[in-house]
């Protein structure tokens, strides 16, 4: 799994979560599927900070041309844990889902990587 961030989302600390199948090619192309923050799995009172629950947006993996490494974006590999969560408004119904381990720390790492890539190179003394 990988968290991908974009400089345009930095004021909201936005990110995308991708499940990657196989190696990332040198141009950033990879087989992947996107996961989304699932509001139907949001517990009463809202998600606890850094504990959002995600479901797959697509059922299968697809080739994503140049998904990673675009200018103004950065990504970090993340670990996830698998959970079973109650579905809001549907008593006795649950769904398997995932949660990013250390979600906001990982998002911060991705934005740090983005800032480092955008920083001008240090001048030689």
């Amino acid at each position: 799994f990988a968290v991908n961030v974009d400089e345009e989302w930095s004021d909201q600390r936005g990110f995308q979560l991708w499940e990657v199948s196989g190696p990332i090619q040198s141009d950033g192309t990879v087989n992947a599927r996107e996961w989304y923050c699932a509001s139907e799995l949001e517990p009463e009172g809202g998600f606890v900070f850094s504990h959002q629950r995600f479901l797959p947006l697509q059922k299968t993996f697809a080739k994503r041309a140049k998904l990673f490494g675009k200018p103004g974006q950065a990504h970090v590999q993340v670990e996830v844990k698998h959970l079973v969560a109650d579905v809001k408004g549907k008593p006795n119904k649950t769904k398997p889902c995932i949660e990013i381990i250390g979600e906001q720390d990982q998002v911060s790492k991705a934005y740090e990587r983005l800032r480092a890539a955008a920083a001008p190179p240090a001048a030689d003394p």
Side-chain angles (χ1 to χ4, degrees):
F1 283 87
V3 163
N4 195 47
V5 299
D6 189 296
E7 60 191 12
E8 291 183 15
W9 312 328
S10 63
D11 60 333
Q12 300 290 319
R13 289 184 54 83
F15 65 92
Q16 296 173 317
L17 177 62
W18 292 90
E19 183 179 7
V20 174
S21 175
I24 300 173
Q25 297 176 15
S26 60
D27 69 350
T29 298
V30 65
N31 283 331
R33 66 177 176 166
E34 188 173 4
W35 289 65
Y36 70 97
C37 181
S39 63
E40 67 262 34
L41 303 181
E42 185 174 356
E44 189 172 325
F47 288 115
V48 174
F49 182 73
S50 197
H51 291 275
Q52 297 181 89
R53 296 171 184 160
F54 295 85
L55 294 173
L57 189 59
Q58 299 90 19
K59 290 184 186 224
T60 60
F61 292 89
K63 184 175 182 178
R64 307 285 176 172
K66 302 178 183 177
L67 176 62
F68 297 120
K70 294 177 186 170
Q73 292 188 354
H75 70 280
V76 294
Q77 184 175 347
V78 298
E79 291 183 38
V80 300
K81 62 182 172 180
H82 295 264
L83 308 167
V84 175
D86 293 328
V87 177
K88 187 176 7 180
K90 296 185 179 179
N92 302 318
K93 179 160 181 166
T94 60
K95 277 190 177 180
C97 61
I98 62 170
E99 184 178 295
I100 301 167
I101 297 172
E103 174 189 303
Q104 288 303 309
D105 290 339
Q106 298 303 322
V107 171
S108 292
K109 284 180 187 176
Y111 277 110
E112 288 167 12
R113 185 175 282 180
L114 179 62
R115 284 190 294 278
D124 288 334

